[in-house]
Structures are given as structure tokens and as C-alpha cells.
């Protein structure tokens, strides 16, 4: 290693030759070649901080395991351990510069991590960056490892960490909808099926349904996460464990579990685990499910708030910004709209993951970089989308109670609640009359002598219309349709 003080560069050499590396860079020649070869995404792996943390955790666990089995001396293992911890703590992430999309099945990412952690360790030892004769990125930091077990394991650890924050945000969003369900508990509205008026319900029930479906997704995401916790550390190149000590696999698993806090397990068949990426496809699919259901909720919010004069106008979304450069006063549902677009992107990313998983060949899948990028992007965007939906929309939603009440009063759907007492045929005839005349259903029922006013009021109470109070018994039908000349049959 030589240092040119004039240009502030250092020279590093690999099997292909030598390159100048910026003297202050913690990455080295392998990373430099990747920067030349893959100027594609212009998005460094550091945009996914938990992927970087996952890489550092794998390197730290390996250093501890290698020290334990005698494959690495105490001084070197300690330096790598300390350097890895600094990365885990959030330092030096700007040095993880290779693009998220790269050829080589993640080798460039693994070497970026090896070089950065090694050069941090060299500084901790009071030595210059690039002094690889003292501590080597490959012989020491990558000891007992291959990209083919490090990279997928780091992705799984990173996704496991990322999922924890996604689940926190998902639960906060669920609770926000639940709070609105309590707030809107007694507000009657017209339910709809196929965009046509149906039976009454409460606005609280509608929002409670939103909360429940998000709670179900919380459970599904946690279930699919366990598929990610099967790792292949110790497999090295293709799963045969070549170059590793027999005790390395168990040791590195134990240390990585302790470091990450994740319930990791070593795959029973390392050859299969190294070549198979099905766990990523299953996890991506669960993210897609969550995104689609979240998008459906946002569709409902946009529809329920449509208008405000010529649409449903049942709820008000918080006004976040001017909605038009030409129409004064227009406000658009921009927060649900951005969540919809995130959902579309997640669906596309899931298709990318599916095709990448299918494209694997023989003992390795070369397309794990695009798998990692797609899933990390999905989970990152979804977490941010949930946050803005909760803070900038759901928490500020209000109900148009007067409009909702007026629509329930004019709705013929309430006649459904009377069918146990007056029969379906009579109810259908009354609904038709109400639609033709615009008259109140309860008045028509009483005038036809089918129920008394008191009975009708009782059965059309908000609690019974919404199902909050169950009907345990029917009262006798007062008259049949044929006996009621005022009812059109």
C-alpha cells in the first residue's frame, strides 16, 4: 500500500491489477470496481440502513465465532468486532456505496462490507487504511464466509429488523382507526354493496372493520417473517461448507441470534437453502397483501369523502394542501392517493421478486440483489405510507353527521330491518313505494297497518338497525300484503 500525499489517494491491488482509491475512503478496490461496473440504480445500499446493520451483524457474529473456534486470533477478532459494532450503531453508513442493483449475486455488497469494516478496524488499531498485510478484508473479516451465505443471511436479518418497525407503524395505524371507531360508534349511515344502497350500519362499524383487517395483516406478516429466520451461515460457496471449521456453523448462529435478537435457525439442508429463495417470495407476497388491503381502505376513504357537495360527503379528510392550480377552494384526498401509489409499487416489486426467484439456476440465485432491493423498498415505503396516512389523514377525519342522518332517514334500506315482522313481499312493495314517492318508510308501514308506530320506532332504532342490539324474537305480522290495499305488490 502506498499513499500519495499530493493527490490524497492510496493504491490498492487485487487479482485484476491496481487502482487508486481516495485516501479517506473506508471502502477499497473491490468496491471501486463495483462503482465502475454498476452505475445503474444510482442508489447505494446505505439507503437501506437495516441491510447495512444486517451485514455488520453477520461480520461481528463471524468474528466472534472464528475467535471461539480458533480460526482468528484474539486481536484481529476484537478489532473486527469493535468495527462492526460501530456500523451497527449507525456510523460509517455513508461508506456503503455500491449500488443496490449489481451483478455477482451480492459479491460487491459483501466486499464493500469487508473493506469498510476492515479499514475501520485498522484505524482502531492505529494503522492506516489499506494496511491489509496487518488485517485483510478477505482472509480475516471474511474468514469462514462466502458471499453466498453472508449476503442472504444479512438480507434476512435486515428484513427482520425492518419488519419490527413496520409492525410498530402498522399497529399505530390500526389503533388510529380503532379510535375513530369509538368516536363514530353511534353515528348511523347507509351501508352499500356494489355501490348501491344497502342496510344501515354505523360509521364506527365501518372504521372498526378497517382496524380489524389491519390487525389480521399484522398477524400474517409476523407468520411469514419466520420463513426469513432460516439462514445458511456456514454453507460458504454452495452449501458444502468448504473452508469452514466443523464447529463454525453452530457458533456463528448462536452469536448472530444474540446480536440481532432474532429467532434465527440454521437450515437443515445448506445446499438447498443456498440455492432456494422462496422465503423472500413468500414474505414479499405478505407485503403485497398488506399493501392491497391498505389501498382498498384508502379507496373507501376517498369515496366516502368525495364531493364535498356532489359526492358521498359522509366524512371529511383533513385538508392538507390546495388541490388545484385553476379551481379555487378545491382540496384533494392527497394522502390516500399517495398510499394507493405505494401499493401499486409494492405489487410491481412483488412481481420482480417472483421472477427473480424463478430465474435462479443450480446451486445459487444470482438475482438476490434485485430481490433485496425490491423487498426493502416495499417495506420502507409502506412504513412511511402508514405513517403519513395515520398522522396526516386518519387522526383528523371527522363525520358529516347531519348528512349521514339525512341519508339514513331517506333510505329504503331500513325496510330490511322490518322483514322479520312484515314479510319480504310487503317490505319490497313498501321500498318501491318509498322510492317512487320519496316518503318515509316508517310512515308507510304505519299507514298500511302493518306495525304500530311504537313497534316501528323500536325496530328502526339505531342500535337495531346497525346490529348493535340483536333481535331475539319477532312480533306477529299485522297484515298480509293482500290485506293492505295501500301497498303496491
Amino acid at each position: 500500500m502506498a499513499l500519495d500525499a499530493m493527490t490524497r489517494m492510496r493504491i490498492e491491488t487485487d487479482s485484476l491489477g491496481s487502482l487508486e482509491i481516495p485516501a479517506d475512503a473506508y471502502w477499497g478496490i473491490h468496491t471501486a470496481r463495483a462503482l465502475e461496473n454498476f452505475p445503474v440504480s444510482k442508489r447505494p445500499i446505505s439507503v437501506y440502513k437495516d441491510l447495512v446493520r444486517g451485514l455488520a451483524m453477520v461480520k461481528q457474529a463471524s468474528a466472534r465465532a472464528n475467535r471461539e473456534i480458533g480460526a482468528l486470533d484474539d486481536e484481529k477478532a476484537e478489532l473486527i468486532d469493535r468495527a462492526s459494532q460501530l456500523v451497527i450503531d449507525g456510523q460509517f453508513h455513508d461508506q456503503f456505496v455500491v449500488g443496490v442493483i449489481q451483478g455477482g449475486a451480492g459479491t460487491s455488497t459483501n466486499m464493500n462490507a469487508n473493506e469498510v469494516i476492515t479499514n475501520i478496524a485498522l484505524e482502531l488499531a492505529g494503522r492506516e487504511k489499506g494496511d491489509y498485510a496487518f488485517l485483510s478484508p478477505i482472509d480475516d473479516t471474511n474468514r469462514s464466509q462466502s458471499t453466498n451465505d453472508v449476503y442472504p443471511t444479512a438480507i434476512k436479518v435486515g428484513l427482520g429488523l425492518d419488519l419490527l418497525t413496520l409492525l410498530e407503524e402498522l399497529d399505530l395505524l390500526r389503533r388510529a382507526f380503532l379510535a375513530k371507531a369509538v368516536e363514530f360508534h353511534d353515528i348511523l349511515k347507509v351501508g352499500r354493496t356494489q355501490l348501491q344502497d344497502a342496510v344501515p350500519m354505523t360509521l364506527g362499524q365501518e372504521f372498526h372493520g378497517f382496524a380489524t383487517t389491519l390487525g389480521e395483516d399484522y398477524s400474517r406478516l409476523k407468520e411469514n417473517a419466520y420463513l426469513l429466520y432460516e439462514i445458511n451461515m456456514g454453507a460458504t460457496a454452495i452449501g458444502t461448507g468448504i473452508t469452514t471449521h466443523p464447529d463454525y456453523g453452530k457458533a456463528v448462529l448462536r452469536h448472530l441470534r444474540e446480536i440481532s435478537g432474532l429467532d434465527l435457525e440454521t437450515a437443515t439442508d445448506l445446499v438447498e437453502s443456498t440455492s432456494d429463495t422462496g422465503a423472500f417470495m413468500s414474505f414479499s407476497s405478505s407485503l403485497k397483501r398488506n399493501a392491497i388491503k391498505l389501498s382498498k381502505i384508502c379507496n373507501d376513504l376517498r369515496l366516502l369523502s368525495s364531493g364535498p357537495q356532489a359526492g358521498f360527503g359522509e366524512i371529511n379528510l383533513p385538508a392538507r394542501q390546495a388541490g388545484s392550480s385553476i379551481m379555487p377552494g378545491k382540496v384533494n384526498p392527497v394522502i390516500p392517493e399517495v398510499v394507493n401509489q405505494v401499493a401499486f409499487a409494492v405489487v410491481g416489486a412483488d412481481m420482480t421478486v417472483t421472477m427473480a426467484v424463478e430465474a435462479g439456476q443450480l446451486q445459487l440465485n444470482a438475482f438476490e440483489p434485485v430481490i433485496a432491493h425490491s423487498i426493502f423498498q416495499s417495506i420502507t415505503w409502506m412504513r412511511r405510507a402508514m405513517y403519513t396516512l395515520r398522522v396526516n389523514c386518519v387522526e383528523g377525519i371527522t363525520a358529516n353527521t347531519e348528512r349521514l342522518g339525512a341519508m339514513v332517514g331517506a333510505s329504503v334500506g331500513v325496510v330490511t330491518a322490518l322483514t322479520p315482522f312484515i314479510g319480504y313481499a310487503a317490505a319490497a312493495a313498501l321500498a318501491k313505494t318509498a322510492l317512487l314517492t320519496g316518503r318515509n318508510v316508517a310512515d308507510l308501514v304505519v299507514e298500511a297497518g302493518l306495525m304500530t308506530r311504537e313497534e316501528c320506532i323500536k325496530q328502526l332504532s339505531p342500535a337495531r338497525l346497525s346490529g348493535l342490539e340483536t333481535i331475539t324474537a319477532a312480533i306477529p305480522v299485522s297484515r298480509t300484503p293482500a290485506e293492505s290495499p295501500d301497498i303496491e305488490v
Side-chain angles (χ1 to χ4, degrees), residues 403-416:
R403 181 173 176 82
L404 288 165
M407 286 194 287
V408 171
S411 172
V412 298
V414 298
V415 77
T416 303

Side-chain angles (χ1 to χ4, degrees), residues 10 20 27 60 85 125 178 203 214 240 249 256 331 341 354 361 394 410 425:
R10 67 176 188 264
E20 290 186 331
W27 45 265
Q60 186 178 57
Q85 187 61 51
L178 201 58
L203 191 60
L214 293 178
T240 61
L256 191 54
V331 178
Q341 292 174 79
T354 300
Q361 294 173 309
V394 175

Side-chain angles (χ1 to χ4, degrees), residues 407-453:
M407 286 194 287
V408 171
S411 172
V412 298
V414 298
V415 77
T416 303
L418 304 181
T419 55
F421 313 104
I422 64 176
Y424 183 90
L430 284 169
K432 183 178 180 180
T433 301
L435 283 172
L436 291 172
T437 63
R439 295 190 60 196
N440 184 279
V441 170
D443 292 339
L444 293 175
V445 172
V446 174
E447 289 178 9
L450 296 175
M451 297 178 71
T452 66
R453 176 69 65 179

Side-chain angles (χ1 to χ4, degrees), residues 38 86 88 124 127 174 181 187 212 216 284 319 331 361 385 400-401 439 475 477:
F38 312 123
L86 292 175
I88 293 170
L124 292 174
R127 294 178 176 267
R174 181 191 68 84
I187 301 176
T212 299
E216 291 174 351
S284 176
V331 178
Q361 294 173 309
N400 286 330
T401 53
R439 295 190 60 196
I475 61 173
V477 174

